[in-house]
Amino acid sequence: MVLTWLLLWRTQVNKKTLFINRVFPPLNGATGRILIEMKEELKLLGQDIEVMHDSKPMSRLKSLAYLFFKTLFISNKKYKQAVIMTDPPFILLLAPILKLKGIKVIHWGMDIYPELFEVFNIKIFSRKFLFSLNKFLLKFVDEFVVIGRDMKNHFANNYNIKRENIHVIYNWADRIVKPMNIEKKNFTVMYSGNWGLAYDFSKILDIADSLQSEKSIVFQLIGGGSQKERVVKEIEERGIKNIEVSNYKPMSQYVESINSADIHIVSVNPKTKGLMVPCKTYSCLAAGIPCLFCGDQESEIAQLINEYDCGMASDDIKIISKEIISLYKDSELRKAKGDNALIINQKYGLEKAAKKFNKVLNNVQ
């Protein structure tokens, strides 16, 4: 009887899943916000979840060293599997340690390095060395969770990973986002979010410039990041008068801010296809607002927009400008595309994502 109880107790302990990421609330960070929501949903589905993160992150390199050191002391008596996220880059260095301890490894990819270093023109060692290192480390991963079909194709085609081991689970909109009726003085085309290196603001500026004669159409650029100073300077130098720039809105104003747009626009470097997904798009769509996407037409967001007819995806500035005029002049068309946008959130929301993730955790071999 005692032996049976001990075996049952050990089985329960081994059902614990460890998520590893640089940040976790109350610390700021997009991956941390995603993780806490997924953790809560997985707990409702019966998973026993713990999170290992850096409680005092100073730099990504120091966080990586901290997480590496902590991993040396974890045991397979407590954890059946570990989910490694992609913040910081090269967190995959933990995979061999986990694997040698007899812990199953799941890689939850939000972005793919070292490829993004090359896109951002960041020189860290040689591309060939980093790619070879990444390919070696991925051999210690049992299952892969990615956030787009283009990312699945990248892993399969470039790292020779079996497609049946790669699971596409989309990210989701912020739970608080919902449609609101906001009175507007002008017709607003909005970019809201990070101004990081992945985003192509030159196209947005060109589109705004081409529509300066349309006095009722205003572009709002909201947020901050590494490109902001340069972009603001270019707006001034080019004399683009129909662009308003502002900082991030406080969370208390976030939903109202998202809903104050008539159209949302996202423009990314086409070279990022398969390496990242601009997840801010899901919150824009959850507000029931059409979205315009400038980037590679085979990327995940382009595919979703085209499949659900909730905006337009094109890398042609003239085509995007014409679509803005069409949506401006046709309120029924705008509403129809906005209604289609809501379907995406209903079909690929957090609850659906958690059920798929739960299945991966239960079936990992």
Side-chain angles (χ1 to χ4, degrees), residues 203 266-270 293-299 302 313-316:
K203 285 189 172 64
V266 178
S267 181
V268 300
N269 185 332
F293 177 80
C294 300
D296 191 287
Q297 297 306 288
E298 294 182 2
S299 61
S314 175
D315 208 30
D316 190 313

Side-chain angles (χ1 to χ4, degrees), residues 63-128:
S63 291
L64 178 60
Y66 173 81
L67 295 172
F68 187 91
F69 180 78
K70 290 275 288 186
T71 302
L72 294 174
F73 295 94
I74 68 174
S75 169
N76 66 354
K77 292 181 180 179
K78 187 175 183 180
Y79 303 110
K80 173 186 176 183
Q81 55 208 2
V83 180
I84 301 176
M85 298 180 71
T86 51
D87 184 8
F90 301 116
I91 197 172
L92 274 170
L93 288 166
L94 279 56
I97 303 172
L98 294 163
K99 195 70 174 176
L100 289 171
K101 288 175 175 286
I103 298 172
K104 298 293 183 181
V105 180
I106 300 165
H107 180 57
W108 188 6
M110 298 288 164
D111 36 37
I112 301 179
Y113 290 92
E115 288 90 328
L116 280 174
F117 284 136
E118 184 177 9
V119 174
F120 300 156
N121 199 30
I122 298 174
K123 305 296 183 184
I124 302 181
F125 300 106
S126 73
R127 180 187 183 281
K128 186 175 181 181

Side-chain angles (χ1 to χ4, degrees), residues 256-297:
E256 183 178 350
S257 176
I258 289 289
N259 277 276
S260 65
D262 293 284
I263 304 172
H264 281 280
I265 187 166
V266 178
S267 181
V268 300
N269 185 332
K271 293 180 181 179
T272 62
K273 183 194 76 171
L275 306 179
M276 56 157 283
V277 176
C279 297
K280 63 170 65 67
T281 312
Y282 296 109
S283 290
C284 300
L285 297 173
I289 296 171
C291 186
L292 305 178
F293 177 80
C294 300
D296 191 287
Q297 297 306 288

Side-chain angles (χ1 to χ4, degrees), residues 37-254:
E37 291 185 349
M38 178 59 77
K39 176 189 175 184
E40 291 170 355
E41 286 296 318
L42 289 174
K43 279 194 169 185
L44 293 176
L45 295 172
Q47 294 289 345
D48 192 355
I49 306 291
E50 284 189 11
V51 175
M52 186 170 81
H53 70 287
D54 186 354
S55 59
K56 297 179 180 179
M58 297 179 67
S59 71
R60 282 177 167 78
L61 184 59
K62 288 182 179 179
S63 291
L64 178 60
Y66 173 81
L67 295 172
F68 187 91
F69 180 78
K70 290 275 288 186
T71 302
L72 294 174
F73 295 94
I74 68 174
S75 169
N76 66 354
K77 292 181 180 179
K78 187 175 183 180
Y79 303 110
K80 173 186 176 183
Q81 55 208 2
V83 180
I84 301 176
M85 298 180 71
T86 51
D87 184 8
F90 301 116
I91 197 172
L92 274 170
L93 288 166
L94 279 56
I97 303 172
L98 294 163
K99 195 70 174 176
L100 289 171
K101 288 175 175 286
I103 298 172
K104 298 293 183 181
V105 180
I106 300 165
H107 180 57
W108 188 6
M110 298 288 164
D111 36 37
I112 301 179
Y113 290 92
E115 288 90 328
L116 280 174
F117 284 136
E118 184 177 9
V119 174
F120 300 156
N121 199 30
I122 298 174
K123 305 296 183 184
I124 302 181
F125 300 106
S126 73
R127 180 187 183 281
K128 186 175 181 181
F129 168 76
L130 293 176
F131 182 82
S132 298
L133 175 63
N134 209 38
K135 195 169 187 178
F136 169 75
L137 295 172
L138 288 171
K139 294 182 184 296
F140 295 91
V141 176
D142 296 285
E143 299 289 333
F144 297 79
V145 174
V146 296
I147 57 176
R149 288 164 287 183
D150 53 350
M151 194 176 286
K152 177 174 181 174
N153 290 335
H154 184 88
F155 271 119
N157 297 337
N158 292 277
Y159 291 101
N160 299 319
I161 296 168
K162 294 180 180 178
R163 289 183 176 271
E164 57 265 31
N165 296 121
I166 309 173
H167 312 274
V168 178
I169 301 178
Y170 295 132
N171 281 345
W172 51 89
D174 293 296
R175 279 177 160 177
I176 60 172
V177 177
K178 58 183 179 181
M180 290 176 61
N181 290 321
I182 305 291
E183 285 192 21
K184 311 175 185 74
K185 293 181 180 179
N186 297 296
F187 186 86
T188 303
V189 182
M190 178 183 291
Y191 174 91
S192 178
N194 183 19
W195 296 39
L197 295 173
Y199 298 97
D200 186 355
F201 284 92
S202 62
K203 285 189 172 64
I204 297 179
L205 299 192
D206 288 343
I207 292 166
D209 197 4
S210 72
L211 294 175
Q212 287 204 74
S213 61
E214 300 289 340
K215 300 302 181 183
S216 295
I217 299 177
V218 173
F219 286 73
Q220 285 190 353
L221 306 184
I222 301 173
S226 58
Q227 293 197 77
K228 187 169 185 177
E229 184 177 347
R230 179 193 65 77
V231 173
V232 170
K233 184 178 180 181
E234 184 176 344
I235 293 170
E236 294 174 352
E237 290 176 346
R238 293 175 60 175
I240 305 175
K241 304 298 185 183
N242 58 345
I243 296 180
E244 299 173 356
V245 176
S246 61
N247 296 324
Y248 282 110
K249 302 296 183 182
M251 284 305 295
S252 60
Q253 299 176 21
Y254 179 64

Side-chain angles (χ1 to χ4, degrees), residues 243-361:
I243 296 180
E244 299 173 356
V245 176
S246 61
N247 296 324
Y248 282 110
K249 302 296 183 182
M251 284 305 295
S252 60
Q253 299 176 21
Y254 179 64
V255 179
E256 183 178 350
S257 176
I258 289 289
N259 277 276
S260 65
D262 293 284
I263 304 172
H264 281 280
I265 187 166
V266 178
S267 181
V268 300
N269 185 332
K271 293 180 181 179
T272 62
K273 183 194 76 171
L275 306 179
M276 56 157 283
V277 176
C279 297
K280 63 170 65 67
T281 312
Y282 296 109
S283 290
C284 300
L285 297 173
I289 296 171
C291 186
L292 305 178
F293 177 80
C294 300
D296 191 287
Q297 297 306 288
E298 294 182 2
S299 61
E300 182 58 54
I301 296 301
Q303 291 184 63
L304 277 177
I305 288 173
N306 288 332
E307 288 168 6
Y308 288 89
D309 190 23
C310 56
M312 174 172 281
S314 175
D315 208 30
D316 190 313
I317 294 169
K318 291 182 179 179
I319 291 175
I320 293 292
S321 298
K322 287 180 180 178
E323 181 67 7
I324 291 172
I325 295 297
S326 296
L327 291 169
Y328 165 58
K329 292 181 176 180
D330 192 338
S331 59
E332 291 186 6
L333 175 65
R334 195 164 67 247
K335 184 181 184 307
K337 288 183 180 282
D339 289 342
N340 290 342
L342 292 173
I343 296 172
I344 294 178
N345 190 52
Q346 294 165 1
K347 189 171 182 179
Y348 302 110
L350 173 57
E351 290 184 6
K352 301 290 178 60
K355 287 178 181 178
K356 288 185 177 181
F357 215 120
N358 185 54
K359 188 175 181 180
V360 174
L361 295 179

